[in-house]
Structures are given as C-alpha cells and as structure tokens.
C-alpha cells in the first residue's frame, strides 16, 4: 500500500532513534518538547565526530550542492530526499561526504558517506544509517555508492573501516523503514524497552522513568535487566508488585531451569521488590557485623574519586578529600546542601607531564596518611589505582598494602543493605539520602565535555580567556569533590545504622591533616 500524504517523512534522525529504541522514535516525532532534556552525551558525540572528521580531512569541508559540483574533498550540509519501499518519503542529512574518483553527474568525481562511530564496534545503527545515506546519495549524484566509510578516533589513532552497502543490508534497510513507518502512525507510543539500563543516554529518559514508576515496570527493580525481565514475564510476573508478592522459593525453582545463577538471585529479587514497594530499607539477611569495620579505629579517611574519558581510556583527574575525626573521636556528619567537608586535593593527569609524575604525587599523598582507609564508590577507583601502581613498578608488597586500604562503599552497601531505590548508583543512593550536588544537572558526561573544552582552550589556537578556562576547571573540580562528599553521605548513613545496633567504639586517636 502506498504511503498516505499525511504520513510523516522518514528522516535519518528518526531511523537512528528507532534502531536504538522504538519508543524513542515515536517520542521524537510526537512527544512534548518540554519533557525532553538536554544531554551532554549528545555534545560529546558531536565532539568525537568533529575530531574524527578533522583527522580524516584536515581542510575545512565545503557546503551543499555547490561544493559537490566544485569537487570539494569533503562536503557537509547536503540534503538528500527520495522515495523508499511502498512510496515512503525519505530525507537525510549525511554527517560528511568524502570525494572518490568515480564519475557522477558532477564530473569525474563522486562521493561516499562517512559516519563517525563511538564505541568499539560497528552496530546495526551504523550499518542501516550508512545504507540510507548511500541509497539517497546514489540517486542524487546519479552514480552508485558501493561503500560507506566508518571512522573513529583522532590524529594518528584514526581508525577507518569500509562498509559494503549492497545486498542484504539494503533489504534490512527496507524492512526497518517499513516498520518505522508503522510505528510512527500509532496513537500511543510503543511500550517501554525491556532493559532500561540502556536508557541513561536518552533525552526522553525522565519522561519514560515517570511512566515506568507509575506502571511498576519490572525494570524499576534493581537487579533486573532485559533477560531477567523476559524470564519473569514467561512466569506471569509482569510488575514490581507481582514480584514482591511472589514466593521466593518457588521462584527460585522456576528460574533454576535456566541457570543456577538465576536460582540464587531469585530470593534477592523478591526481597528487593518488597523493599521498594514498602519504601523502607532493610538489612540483608546475609550480612553480619558492621558494614565498615575499618573505620572503627581509623584516625581519618581519604575519599577518592576519578573522572575518566572511557573512550580514550584516560583517567584525567584523581580527586581526594581528606576527612579527619573530630577531637571527641566522632566522625563529621553527612554534608548539608552546599556544605564542604575536609580538604580537597585534585591531581590532574596531563599527558605532557607523564604518568610517573601522577603516581609519585599519589604515592606521596597516600604515604602521608598510612593508617587512613581510602573510600571510593564502585570498583573504578581501585582497579585504576592498582593498575597504575603496577605499571609504575610498585612491588607486590606495596600493591597488597594499597589493596588492603581500598574500601568499596558500593560493595559494602550492597552486601549489608537493601534500599528502596531502583539503582544502587551513587547519584540515586546519595539522592535518596538527601544529598544534593552543588551544580544542578551536572553528570560525568558534562564533566568530560568541560575537560575536553578546557584542554582544547588551554592549548589550541583560539584560546578563551584565562578566567573562562579557570571556571571550567573549577567546575570539574567541584563536581569531583561533590562525588566524594556524596560517598561520605552514604558512609555516614552506614555508620549511623550500625550505631543503632552496636555500641559506639572508644574514641580513636586523631592525626593532623
């Protein structure tokens, strides 16, 4: 059946969203714009794309049809339109076109589409998008486009991969376009995806979070991803309330046919659902003793948090907050809004200074407080620090002493407590405890974007003012410091809960900072 004149034009943007999430594409077209939130991840993706394209074609690309006629090495801003299966109207705006020496209506040259990828591998999204660009470009230039180019990285590390655009890929494109067209004419959005852990980068996350909470979606239960949700649906358990009402032993037996791991986790999932339904934290039945025995006699703690660029595998900032017991042997309370505790020490890992300098500074600081535990939230900090020590030639004995000082607060929390939260990430847990970050709407992605802007501005040809660069750096430091203070908010809560059932230890000796 031909497409209705009232049907929406299928754009490459809608296709990209649909491949990622059927609901997202519908919201992109029909959703209220006020429910969409800005995400630094989009800005980071555009920044990565720019870096990759500049490495591929150092000269500035031309723009539009005129640049194509002139044979520019690279072209941006070309609008492509065409017709797809069943008369579907198509429109695309390729990120970059690269000239190739094959004839077209413009002369002895033509173009192929270029896509910048993030991540380590090609995905279905990349393949289908390039196939659409290639098809519409071939019609527009009246010359075949047999391959597209995928690039990643920058400078000497630029990776190039040719992707054949014919055969089965064109059939996949037709199928995707037809399904997308059917989805977009629905009156209601498609259901939430099974695994909502992947929604963290989406600008519609807040809107879908509210729907999930109202529905009692199984993905709201911490520990349930897409696979486990499908298994529970097969058993007739479709919501958080139904999971909370399930018999844990019976559920364990039902899930045992899939794996022993599912059998073991079943009682924990039921317990987690019950805690979330009741809204009251509960001690884990497997926990014994205090959650943080290391703090019983410690004179102080170092709160440790790293900021990283995961794609570049670069830990660019190591931040430590030095927090000492009071004269009466008591620990400081949880920080209030905007309150700063302890002394903050940021250590920047600049490539031009070398990793050896960073290790010496960290080593010196850690040696200054030998009896202080190093508290962090999640395994990133311990893994990164121990690998750094190994690369810098630390002895087995020194690494073992360092390992013994590192305390993963996230791990201890999960071992000892069930909380009425849908995630045990630092933002969610500390937020539930009442902690607030001093910079609203800032996350790790925004911090990384500031870092890249600071690096480019401090060494690039078009430098912002010194004050502007200093403000970006201070924002990064404050976000890193807040993460450590959020970790302390969780620590204080754990200590307070232990104090309710255990007598307070005698005051520990204090040491100067």
């Amino acid at each position: 059946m031909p497409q209705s004149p009232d049907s929406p034009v299928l754009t490459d943007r809608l296709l990209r969203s649909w491949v990622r999430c059927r609901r997202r594409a519908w919201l992109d077209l029909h959703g209220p714009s006020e429910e969409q939130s800005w995400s630094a991840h989009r800005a980071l993706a555009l920044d990565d794309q720019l870096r990759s394209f500049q490495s591929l074609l150092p000269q500035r690309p031309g723009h539009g049809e005129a640049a194509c006629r002139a044979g520019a090495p690279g072209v941006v801003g070309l609008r492509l339109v065409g017709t797809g299966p069943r008369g579907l109207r198509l429109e695309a705006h390729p990120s970059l076109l690269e000239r190739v020496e094959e004839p077209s209506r413009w002369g002895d040259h033509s173009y192929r589409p270029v896509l910048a990828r993030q991540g380590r591998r090609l995905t279905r999204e990349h393949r289908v998008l390039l196939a659409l660009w290639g098809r519409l470009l071939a019609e527009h230039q009246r010359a075949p486009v047999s391959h597209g180019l995928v690039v990643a990285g920058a400078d000497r590390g630029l990776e190039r991969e040719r992707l054949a655009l014919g055969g089965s890929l064109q059939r996949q494109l037709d199928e995707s376009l037809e399904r997308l067209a059917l989805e977009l004419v629905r009156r209601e959005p498609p259901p939430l995806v099974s695994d909502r852990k992947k929604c963290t980068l989406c600008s519609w996350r807040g809107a879908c979070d509210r729907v999930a909470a109202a529905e009692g979606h199984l993905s709201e239960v911490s520990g349930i991803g897409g696979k486990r949700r499908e298994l529970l649906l097969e058993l007739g358990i479709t919501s958080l309330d139904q999971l909370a009402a399930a018999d844990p032993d019976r559920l364990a037996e039902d899930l045992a046919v899939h794996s022993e791991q599912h059998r073991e986790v079943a009682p924990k999932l039921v317990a987690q659902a019950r805690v979330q339904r009741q809204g009251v934290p509960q001690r884990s039945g497997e926990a014994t003793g205090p959650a943080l025995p290391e703090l019983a006699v410690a004179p102080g703690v170092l709160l440790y948090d790293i900021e990283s660029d995961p794609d570049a595998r670069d830990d660019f900032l190591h931040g430590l907050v030095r927090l000492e017991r009071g004269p009466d042997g008591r620990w400081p309370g949880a920080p209030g809004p905007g309150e700063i505790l302890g002394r903050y020490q940021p250590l920047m890992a600049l490539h031009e200074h070398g990793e050896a300098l960073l290790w010496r500074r960290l080593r010196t600081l850690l040696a200054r407080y030998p009896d202080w535990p190093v508290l962090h939230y999640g395994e990133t900090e311990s893994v990164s620090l121990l690998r750094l020590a190994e690369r810098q030639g630390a002895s087995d004995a020194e690494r073992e002493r360092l390992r013994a000082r590192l305390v993963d607060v996230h791990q201890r929390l999960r071992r000892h407590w069930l909380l009425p939260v849908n995630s045990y990430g630092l933002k969610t847990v500390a937020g539930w405890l009442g902690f607030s970050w001093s910079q609203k709407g800032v996350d790790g992605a925004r911090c990384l974007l500031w870092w890249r802007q600071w690096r480019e501005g401090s060494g690039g040809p078009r430098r912002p003012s010194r004050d502007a660069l200093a403000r970006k750096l201070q924002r990064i430091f404050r976000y890193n410091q807040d993460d450590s203070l959020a970790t302390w908010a969780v620590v204080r809560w754990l200590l307070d809960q232990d104090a309710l059932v255990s007598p307070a230890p005698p005051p520990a000796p204090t040491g100067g900072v």
Side-chain angles (χ1 to χ4, degrees), residues 414-457:
R414 296 302 306 268
R415 184 185 303 170
H416 287 262
W417 283 91
L418 296 173
L419 303 183
V421 294
N422 61 5
S423 164
Y424 284 81
L426 181 60
K427 289 286 192 304
T428 304
V429 172
W432 174 74
L433 292 172
F435 180 85
S436 57
W437 274 253
S438 59
Q439 301 176 103
K440 302 300 181 184
V442 177
D443 56 12
R446 178 77 68 94
C447 187
L448 174 55
L449 183 61
W450 284 336
W451 171 256
R452 289 183 178 178
Q453 291 169 345
W454 180 84
R455 287 287 291 169
E456 291 172 0

Side-chain angles (χ1 to χ4, degrees), residues 358-424:
L358 171 67
W359 170 240
R360 287 198 300 271
R361 296 180 68 193
L362 280 167
R363 195 181 197 183
T364 299
L365 181 58
L366 293 171
R368 198 177 300 160
Y369 309 97
D371 301 323
W372 293 26
V374 180
L375 308 181
H376 56 94
Y377 200 92
E379 65 177 5
T380 297
E381 283 72 20
S382 59
V383 170
S384 296
L385 184 58
L386 290 169
R387 285 178 177 171
L388 172 62
E390 184 177 9
R391 289 195 302 270
Q392 292 302 313
S395 66
D396 291 345
E398 183 178 6
R399 297 203 308 275
E400 194 55 42
R401 288 193 299 271
L402 182 56
R403 184 179 287 106
R405 293 180 63 182
L406 290 162
V407 179
D408 185 348
V409 176
H410 172 264
Q411 182 187 67
R412 300 296 178 84
L413 177 68
R414 296 302 306 268
R415 184 185 303 170
H416 287 262
W417 283 91
L418 296 173
L419 303 183
V421 294
N422 61 5
S423 164
Y424 284 81

Side-chain angles (χ1 to χ4, degrees), residues 1 22 28 52 99 120 137 162 167 180 201 228 234 248 290 337 361 364 392 402 424 456 465:
M1 176 182 293
R22 294 163 52 205
D28 282 348
S52 297
R99 187 182 67 195
R120 306 293 177 190
L137 178 60
R162 281 163 47 97
L180 170 61
L201 310 185
R228 283 179 181 160
E234 289 176 9
R361 296 180 68 193
T364 299
Q392 292 302 313
L402 182 56
Y424 284 81
E456 291 172 0
S465 71

Side-chain angles (χ1 to χ4, degrees), residues 457 462-471:
R462 302 190 328 192
R463 299 186 180 184
S465 71
R466 182 175 299 178
D467 287 345
L469 289 175
R471 284 194 296 271

Side-chain angles (χ1 to χ4, degrees), residues 212-221 224 228-252 254-255 266-267 269-278:
E215 292 179 355
H217 197 268
L218 282 172
S219 65
E220 285 291 284
V221 180
I224 295 184
R228 283 179 181 160
R229 179 174 181 267
E230 294 301 323
L231 296 179
L232 292 172
L233 291 176
E234 289 176 9
L235 298 174
I237 298 175
T238 62
S239 68
L240 184 153
D241 285 344
Q242 288 182 340
L243 179 59
D247 177 83
D249 295 330
R250 173 65 182 274
L251 182 61
D254 289 340
L255 292 179
L269 295 179
V270 174
Q272 178 65 43
R274 290 175 178 175
V275 166
Q276 289 183 227
R277 182 178 63 177
Q278 296 164 2

